[in-house]
Amino acid sequence: VTLLEQNPRWRLVPRGQAVNLRCILKNSQYPWMSWYQQDLQKQLQWLFTLRSPGDKEVKSLPGADYLATRVTDTELRLQVANMSQGRTLYCTCSVGTGGHTGQLYFGEGSKLTVL
Amino acid sequence: GEQVEQLPSILRVQERSSASINCTYENSASNYFPWYKQEPGENPKLIIDIRSNMERKQIQGLIVLLDKKAKRFSLHITDTQPADSAMYFCAASGPNYNVLYFGSGTKLTVEP
């Protein structure tokens, strides 16, 4: 059963152009939504965890700038700007009740390539 | 950030032998340790996990060991098959709720 739907799945990004990614949660029992990046060396790195609609965060990492927004209980967005190296962005979800980190499930990913 | 060290980065084994991957973590408050398998072109998939109230967990041919004193945990794959060939990632929970910190990955190749 698919818990998350990400789009686009692939995108060629001209240098200097921003791209907007979207993630839709299919099961509201996993409300803790996050973004992780996987770089070309396959390293997985946490970016953001946004629980509530209206939550927004920004972050700059080597090779890209990020703006994440929890739009609704079921939609998470990520804007990627100033990307200099390709990467894959994964949306994740978890239950996370009782004060414990829950099992984390990954979406299919959005693979970004710099032109 | 939270450091999770994973070794080896590359592992080749013969079919039907065992494969072991080791990870260490920094934060003594970490209490959840999952393992993910990622095949080429696919997303990471959870294969087994262990919480800090356990020292050992087994699901079929997968065994996870946790040594909290040494801040070390490991994955052991018994009776390996070519289908076990993939990238494997360990992870540890950190001080932020519902956040995982990942090791750098192990590329496992099981040769027939």
Side-chain angles (χ1 to χ4, degrees):
Chain A
V1 179
T2 303
L3 292 174
L4 297 163
E5 179 183 295
Q6 285 189 242
N7 62 76
R9 294 288 311 281
W10 301 273
R11 179 61 59 90
L12 297 174
V13 184
R15 198 172 289 271
Q17 196 172 92
V19 59
N20 293 302
L21 309 180
R22 201 162 162 254
C23 177
I24 303 298
L25 179 65
K26 298 294 194 180
N27 186 329
S28 59
Q29 296 199 36
Y30 299 83
W32 287 86
M33 298 181 78
S34 301
W35 288 108
Y36 285 76
Q37 75 164 24
Q38 186 169 41
D39 63 24
L40 297 178
Q41 290 71 45
K42 300 295 184 187
Q43 178 68 56
L44 283 161
Q45 182 175 358
W46 170 74
L47 295 176
F48 308 100
T49 297
L50 300 178
R51 173 62 182 89
S52 303
D55 286 351
K56 275 189 181 186
E57 285 193 40
V58 296
K59 185 173 282 190
S60 288
L61 288 183
D65 298 326
Y66 296 106
L67 166 63
T69 307
R70 185 71 181 259
V71 181
T72 66
D73 283 331
T74 57
E75 184 175 347
L76 185 68
R77 290 185 188 169
L78 184 69
Q79 183 181 84
V80 185
N82 299 317
M83 192 174 68
S84 59
Q85 297 169 358
R87 61 203 63 213
T88 300
L89 283 306
Y90 287 105
C91 175
T92 69
C93 64
S94 64
V95 174
T97 57
H100 298 292
T101 294
Q103 291 180 335
L104 198 75
Y105 297 95
F106 281 74
E108 296 297 314
S110 294
K111 184 174 180 178
L112 304 181
T113 302
V114 179
L115 282 179
Chain B
E2 300 290 322
Q3 283 282 98
V4 177
E5 301 290 336
Q6 181 173 348
L7 289 171
S9 55
I10 298 173
L11 181 58
R12 288 181 175 274
V13 300
Q14 291 295 120
E15 187 176 3
R16 288 185 291 278
S17 67
S18 294
S20 296
I21 304 171
N22 299 292
C23 290
T24 58
Y25 60 99
E26 286 186 345
N27 189 345
S28 54
S30 295
N31 58 16
Y32 176 61
F33 307 91
W35 288 86
Y36 286 82
K37 177 182 181 182
Q38 186 178 28
E39 302 193 64
E42 301 282 317
N43 57 353
K45 293 180 173 60
L46 179 66
I47 55 173
I48 191 169
D49 57 10
I50 191 167
R51 293 197 179 271
S52 57
N53 58 352
M54 298 176 71
E55 294 179 348
R56 185 183 190 277
K57 183 173 180 179
Q58 181 166 1
I59 297 176
Q60 297 180 327
L62 301 176
I63 301 169
V64 175
L65 302 176
L66 173 62
D67 181 344
K68 286 179 289 184
K69 268 189 181 175
K71 290 193 253 182
R72 184 167 57 211
F73 58 114
S74 57
L75 173 69
H76 306 273
I77 307 173
T78 61
D79 190 26
T80 55
Q81 301 298 315
D84 294 322
S85 298
M87 284 289 289
Y88 289 81
F89 293 92
C90 64
S93 61
N96 295 317
Y97 191 52
N98 273 308
V99 174
L100 291 179
Y101 297 90
F102 284 84
S104 54
T106 296
K107 183 176 181 182
L108 173 64
T109 302
V110 181
E111 295 169 335

